Amino acid sequence: MEGQCRVCGQTHANVEPHLYDYAQEVDEDLMCQICLQPFVSPIDLLCGHTFCQPCLLKHLQVQKLCPIDRQPTDLKHTSPSSLVLKKLIDKLLVKCPPGVDCGQTVQRGDLEDHLKFRCPVLKSPLRASSSPPSVASLSLSQNLPPKIGITRLPVLEGEVSHIEIPRLSPTLGITVVGGSDTALRCIVVQEVFPDGLVAQDGRLKPGDQLVEINGVDMSSASHHQACQALRKLKSQVLRLGVYRERIAPYNGQNDAQYETVSVTIERESHQALGIRLSGSWMESGIYVTEVVPDSPAAHTALLCPYDRILYVNDEDVTNCQLQQVSSLLQSNEKVTLVVSRKRSTLPVSHSRTKSAPTSHDSHFSPPLSSSATLSQKSVSCDSLTPPMPPHHAATINLNRDFTSQELQHKFITIVKEPNESLGMRIGGGLGSNEGDIPIYIANIHPQGCVGKTQQIWKGDILIGVNGNSLVGLTHGQAVATLKATVETAKVEMTVVEGPETSLGAFNFIPSWLYWQKLPRCLQFPKTVVLFRTPGASLGFSIVGGEDPTRGAQHIHILFVVQDSPAAKDGKLKCGDRLLSVDGQSLEKVEHSKAVSMLKQTGTKVVLEIVSWLGTEI
């Protein structure tokens, strides 16, 4: 217990979970029932219960039973919790630890970087590490020979590269979209999670196409077939055939192509500065996405969209988070910025190379739109621009007859005792970790009120409860609506049968294809505004459109060009569906027509999209 842990900043044994000082009350669903604290390195048992990894390991050394339902279990019957849960607990707000306490509050996942680089109080480095090895590493690495004999070949652009990744964990830490049964026609990596196996390997990137998995050709594989192949623990090495687009850099990385500009903005105490900021998912840095007309920032005539902010009042912010930069800007009536921008802007054509897999060639055109994975949402700072209006709950006729042939609409009456739990868990909601999605049934206790009806299944969409619509609500609002029924003896539920379900005790996690099959009234679009200089590409590639052979297909984003307006905006990602551009619908239009519509846009482009999290692998 020497020194302080570099992850949490507090003193504890290596085998004990990290300790945090939480700034807000934490939902009980995120609490470990052994230590009664929010999950740290959560793992699941086959019975469906989740605990901190260090807590469960210590418990199983004494008693090989589930601490909650007392069912027999052991280390072999554990698996890492979903990445959605891990991202959720990493977003919990914590205070700088006692003994260091700089007065700042950060997300739990950012505390380690805060202590290492940004804490103004901390003077000495913390001890190297106190993180115990993961359960997956312990259980799998014991069976690995000293040398697996893998190769470390790079992923090359414009051709199929074959790489090998040691399979040290059942989960890869990526999400994927597409498949031969979708408009994308290929399997595409949508997101690479920072702490996952693939991120540690460091070669796969968002937008890479997986054309071969463990020697099996994936060019004709459906979405589910490809996901099954990626999940299969066939050997200790995962072998992938990867195709990466060959794209001319949107902006050169030569320092001579960039210039720095100093801008001083003065405002009255009641005025907003008039700039919108966004973080980039493909590189570090905070960027100006919009300068509001007639604002103090606009009056300088010096700031431009996609200027990168380097300094705020002589403070280096090149590696700061978006919230930190926003706070600096809000706290001063006179702000001096140093920004970086490209000296010249030349139109760049991003075209598919001839060595691309031939089965996909006819579905691509020069990329003229833009997409990026949303690791940081674009934030409108309250004192910089007028705040955006909040989401309003969408209204829906509970008696509506949905046109989708795959979905069925049903009404179920649940009879229960007053104060008796319904025995189910829900997921989703507007603003959830999975995106803006409807409320769905994540798990059902087989002996609970809902489970006994045998009419509601995991994966079903929950539309309404006792006449109250749940469509367009946040997860918290939906939970509150359900809790309001606790004292009633009868609960009326309106449910849409989901396109997928799952068996067993584990929580249901929707695939990317699940969201594609939902009716339009259960999809929640968002608006993305991009800015570009005249003649420049928006920086993303599209697929899909009306086709005489395959019929009507929605327009989707295939990949995003690094350093482009789309990538810097940080709101688009691979697999997003494009609904309209500058108010013109893209529904039932040919691919070439969609390309033409995007080419004809001006320097400000307004896109309406629907975005979903890819399938977790």
Side-chain angles (χ1 to χ4, degrees):
M1 294 179 63
E2 296 179 358
Q4 293 172 300
C5 170
R6 73 171 185 182
V7 176
C8 66
Q10 303 201 39
T11 303
H12 61 82
N14 285 358
V15 296
E16 295 175 345
H18 298 302
L19 303 175
Y20 298 96
D21 187 8
Y22 293 90
Q24 299 174 341
E25 184 177 351
V26 180
D27 191 294
E28 62 180 11
D29 288 338
L30 301 178
M31 307 281 275
C32 171
Q33 295 303 306
I34 297 178
C35 66
L36 301 180
Q37 294 294 319
F39 294 123
V40 174
S41 303
I43 54 175
D44 298 335
L45 292 175
L46 286 179
C47 59
H49 295 120
T50 303
F51 306 94
C52 299
Q53 172 194 315
C55 297
L56 187 60
L57 290 177
K58 190 173 182 180
H59 171 83
L60 293 179
Q61 290 175 351
V62 179
Q63 199 172 32
K64 296 189 180 300
L65 299 173
C66 172
I68 295 179
D69 59 22
R70 314 302 292 172
Q71 292 186 22
T73 188
D74 57 25
L75 188 61
K76 296 179 181 179
H77 296 143
T78 62
S79 62
S81 297
S82 73
L83 292 169
V84 171
L85 174 61
K86 293 177 182 177
K87 291 175 72 175
L88 192 61
I89 58 179
D90 276 346
K91 289 186 176 181
L92 295 175
L93 295 179
V94 298
K95 300 176 183 177
C96 203
V100 177
D101 197 6
C102 64
Q104 295 188 23
T105 299
V106 298
Q107 291 186 359
R108 199 177 89 173
D110 296 330
L111 182 60
E112 181 177 357
D113 285 343
H114 170 77
L115 294 172
K116 187 175 181 181
F117 301 111
R118 295 186 288 275
C119 181
V121 175
L122 198 61
K123 301 297 183 182
S124 59
L126 302 177
R127 63 184 164 92
S129 175
S130 66
S131 301
S134 68
V135 172
S137 295
L138 286 172
S139 58
L140 291 175
S141 62
Q142 291 173 353
N143 299 322
L144 289 177
K147 293 185 179 179
I148 301 177
I150 67 167
T151 58
R152 284 288 302 176
L153 298 176
V155 176
L156 303 177
E157 294 184 352
E159 61 183 77
V160 176
S161 304
H162 290 85
I163 64 173
E164 298 178 338
I165 302 175
R167 195 70 185 253
L168 302 178
S169 168
T171 57
L172 299 179
I174 61 174
T175 61
V176 297
V177 297
S180 64
D181 52 342
T182 72
L184 273 68
R185 311 299 300 168
C186 57
I187 298 296
V188 184
V189 177
Q190 183 197 61
E191 187 171 0
V192 178
F193 295 110
D195 298 326
L197 186 67
V198 167
Q200 293 172 10
D201 177 78
R203 286 178 287 180
L204 274 186
K205 296 180 180 180
D208 285 347
Q209 299 173 27
L210 305 182
V211 298
E212 186 179 301
I213 300 174
N214 290 326
V216 179
D217 181 17
M218 291 288 118
S219 59
S220 300
S222 67
H223 182 81
H224 288 308
Q225 287 172 335
C227 292
Q228 288 176 357
L230 287 168
R231 291 188 176 111
K232 188 178 296 183
L233 295 173
K234 187 175 180 180
S235 67
Q236 297 171 350
V237 178
L238 175 66
R239 294 176 171 86
L240 299 174
V242 182
Y243 177 78
R244 179 176 295 166
E245 294 284 349
R246 175 176 291 159
I247 307 169
Y250 190 89
N251 280 324
Q253 299 302 314
N254 192 337
D255 290 341
Q257 294 183 320
Y258 288 84
E259 62 180 347
T260 57
V261 178
S262 179
V263 182
T264 299
I265 307 173
E266 297 189 41
R267 58 167 179 165
E268 301 294 333
S269 58
H270 63 278
Q271 282 184 300
L273 285 176
I275 57 176
R276 292 185 186 275
L277 307 178
S278 177
S280 170
W281 72 283
M282 301 186 87
E283 57 181 296
S284 60
I286 303 300
Y287 293 84
V288 176
T289 58
E290 183 178 1
V291 180
V292 179
D294 297 325
S295 66
H299 292 159
T300 67
L302 294 174
L303 276 180
C304 302
Y306 298 116
D307 284 351
R308 179 177 178 178
I309 299 179
L310 305 179
Y311 292 86
V312 177
N313 290 341
D314 296 327
E315 182 170 342
D316 186 354
V317 297
T318 52
N319 294 310
C320 287
Q321 297 290 326
L322 188 58
Q323 291 180 344
Q324 294 174 291
V325 177
S326 300
S327 298
L328 288 173
L329 294 174
Q330 294 176 43
S331 59
N332 295 279
E333 294 181 5
K334 181 178 179 180
V335 178
T336 300
L337 306 177
V338 176
V339 300
S340 172
R341 69 171 65 116
K342 198 170 185 292
R343 292 182 184 275
S344 60
T345 308
L346 300 176
V348 179
S349 173
H350 306 295
S351 58
R352 173 173 280 269
T353 54
K354 292 182 179 180
S355 59
T358 56
S359 60
H360 304 150
D361 276 355
S362 61
H363 306 291
F364 293 79
S365 66
L368 298 160
S369 1
S370 122
S371 100
T373 313
L374 179 58
S375 61
Q376 287 191 38
K377 290 187 177 181
S378 180
V379 173
S380 173
C381 306
D382 291 343
S383 68
L384 305 180
T385 55
M388 298 295 291
H391 283 295
H392 294 287
T395 57
I396 184 171
N397 182 355
L398 297 186
N399 296 313
R400 179 171 182 176
D401 182 18
F402 293 105
T403 58
S404 175
Q405 296 179 353
E406 292 127 344
L407 303 173
Q408 295 182 6
H409 198 210
K410 53 189 177 182
F411 300 91
I412 295 108
T413 300
I414 308 294
V415 179
K416 66 181 187 67
E417 297 294 330
N419 295 318
E420 183 181 6
S421 170
L422 289 171
M424 69 176 189
R425 175 176 289 184
I426 62 172
L430 290 190
S432 72
N433 240 29
E434 300 162 281
D436 291 334
I437 56 177
I439 301 295
Y440 65 90
I441 308 297
N443 214 334
I444 299 174
H445 194 292
Q447 301 305 316
C449 298
V450 172
K452 289 178 180 178
T453 68
Q454 294 290 303
Q455 298 183 69
I456 300 178
W457 305 96
K458 288 190 287 185
D460 285 353
I461 303 293
L462 191 55
I463 298 296
V465 177
N466 287 346
N468 298 312
S469 175
L470 299 185
V471 178
L473 299 186
T474 65
H475 184 270
Q477 291 169 334
V479 169
T481 303
L482 287 169
K483 284 184 176 180
T485 68
V486 68
E487 296 182 357
T488 60
K490 187 170 69 173
V491 180
E492 302 282 349
M493 291 189 175
T494 308
V495 175
V496 169
E497 186 174 317
E500 298 174 359
T501 188
S502 66
L503 303 176
F506 291 106
N507 288 342
F508 169 75
I509 301 177
S511 74
W512 178 76
L513 209 57
Y514 173 96
W515 305 116
Q516 300 284 318
K517 295 179 179 179
L518 292 186
R520 182 68 180 84
C521 59
L522 293 179
Q523 299 172 3
F524 306 112
K526 63 181 179 181
T527 300
V528 176
V529 181
L530 301 178
F531 295 89
R532 61 172 174 177
T533 53
S537 166
L538 290 170
F540 63 87
S541 175
I542 62 171
V543 293
E546 190 81 19
D547 185 273
T549 304
R550 297 187 175 89
Q553 292 185 323
H554 297 287
I555 302 293
H556 286 79
I557 292 172
L558 180 65
F559 67 90
V560 180
V561 180
Q562 185 172 354
D563 206 29
S564 67
K568 290 181 178 179
D569 181 76
K571 290 192 182 74
L572 299 176
K573 58 179 180 287
C574 307
D576 284 354
R577 183 180 295 177
L578 275 177
L579 302 180
S580 69
V581 52
D582 287 344
Q584 301 181 63
S585 175
L586 292 174
E587 299 287 337
K588 297 183 179 180
V589 302
E590 295 182 355
H591 179 83
S592 58
K593 175 65 174 176
V595 171
S596 176
M597 292 167 65
L598 289 165
K599 281 184 177 179
Q600 294 170 8
T601 56
T603 55
K604 179 180 179 180
V605 184
V606 180
L607 304 175
E608 186 181 28
I609 69 165
V610 184
S611 181
W612 300 285
L613 184 71
T615 303
E616 291 184 27
I617 305 295

